[in-house]
Amino acid sequence: NYLRARIVDNRLSPGAKISEASLAERLNISRTPLRAALQQLASEGLVNTRPHVGSTVARLDVTQLREAVFIRAALETAVVRKLVDMKADLSTLDPIMEAQQRTASRDDYASFFVQDEAFHAELSRLARVPRAWKLALSIKGHVDRQRYLLMAGIAMRSQRAYEEHARIIQQIRSGDSDAAARAMHDHVNSVLELDAYGGIMNLPDRAGPGEDE
């Protein structure tokens, strides 16, 4: 979690070398669990690991990003449809939304990111499919990096995300499963913000020099 968080929030920038020795000392752990963590991050596409060479932070990958958004949208639109069918009580989302409103109003994107995760996890829990969110977590590493870039790079971007969450809740409570699914689909896909030239912001299409394509 320590290493993943620093990759997602870009404190460890793409291409940065990861020193196992330094990390193991900082975290006060042996290299065995650290290597297991690096393997997990490699499976998420966040780290490139080469035998006898070492590990580096992977560059943002457009293909993996689009694939993860596609999968996440499919999972989460199904979740909100289920919540409509269940006529679920969404009251446990109220304190999460209150926390989001506070953090969004001061554009505290780091704190908002935590509450954003809590919101989506709670939707899956309420729909009685908590593993849907766990599955989303396993494939959305590049999504999280882009979400963080958007929140950090666009003023009040977290306020927009808060408003999208409020719209999702409103549509679930209205009993309109199509509208709820559409609101969730648009929200998940909003991470693919386009720049003026029609490209995804800050995302190179290729790996950098010296990295595997």
Side-chain angles (χ1 to χ4, degrees):
N1 286 343
Y2 173 90
L3 190 55
R4 188 183 193 280
R6 276 148 185 78
I7 294 172
V8 166
D9 67 15
N10 293 292
R11 277 180 281 180
L12 281 174
S13 59
K17 292 183 178 179
I18 298 172
S19 168
E20 289 187 13
S22 296
L23 267 176
E25 182 177 356
R26 181 181 302 174
L27 300 175
N28 194 28
I29 59 174
S30 70
R31 292 199 185 187
T32 299
L34 178 58
R35 285 171 181 159
L38 288 171
Q39 289 174 357
Q40 175 60 39
L41 292 172
S43 73
E44 294 184 46
L46 295 177
V47 167
N48 294 324
T49 301
R50 296 178 179 176
H52 312 299
V53 175
S55 300
T56 57
V57 177
R59 298 187 182 276
L60 292 166
D61 186 301
V62 173
T63 300
Q64 288 188 34
L65 172 65
R66 291 187 185 278
E67 182 181 48
V69 168
F70 178 85
I71 295 169
R72 183 178 172 190
L75 288 168
E76 296 210 72
T77 54
V79 165
V80 296
R81 285 185 181 277
K82 191 170 190 292
L83 288 169
V84 171
D85 291 343
M86 294 169 58
K87 296 181 173 58
D89 178 2
L90 305 182
S91 59
T92 56
L93 291 170
D94 292 344
I96 296 172
M97 292 298 290
E98 289 169 6
Q100 285 188 13
Q101 187 175 38
R102 289 193 300 272
T103 57
S105 66
R106 61 178 185 266
D107 207 16
D108 180 357
Y109 58 87
S111 297
F112 185 88
F113 189 89
V114 175
Q115 296 301 325
D116 189 311
E117 297 282 279
F119 173 82
H120 290 277
E122 183 62 7
L123 286 176
S124 290
R125 190 193 71 80
L126 289 170
R128 301 171 189 165
V129 285
R131 281 182 288 186
W133 179 243
K134 290 180 181 179
L135 178 58
L137 284 174
S138 71
I139 51 88
K140 71 185 187 74
H142 285 292
V143 175
D144 287 347
R145 295 172 86 177
Q146 180 66 352
R147 284 166 62 204
Y148 212 93
L149 281 171
L150 288 173
M151 288 184 184
I154 302 176
M156 303 306 292
R157 181 60 175 76
S158 52
Q159 178 65 33
R160 174 178 157 186
Y162 165 76
E163 291 168 0
E164 290 171 355
H165 289 167
R167 190 173 303 115
I168 290 166
I169 292 173
Q170 179 184 14
Q171 298 296 1
I172 294 171
R173 284 176 168 157
S174 76
D176 188 335
S177 60
D178 287 341
R182 188 162 52 249
M184 178 61 82
H185 178 273
D186 291 348
H187 172 61
V188 172
N189 277 268
S190 69
V191 75
L192 301 175
E193 294 284 357
L194 301 181
D195 62 21
Y197 302 98
I200 298 174
M201 295 173 56
N202 300 316
L203 290 179
D205 283 308
R206 311 168 67 93
E211 292 197 18
D212 293 334
E213 297 288 332

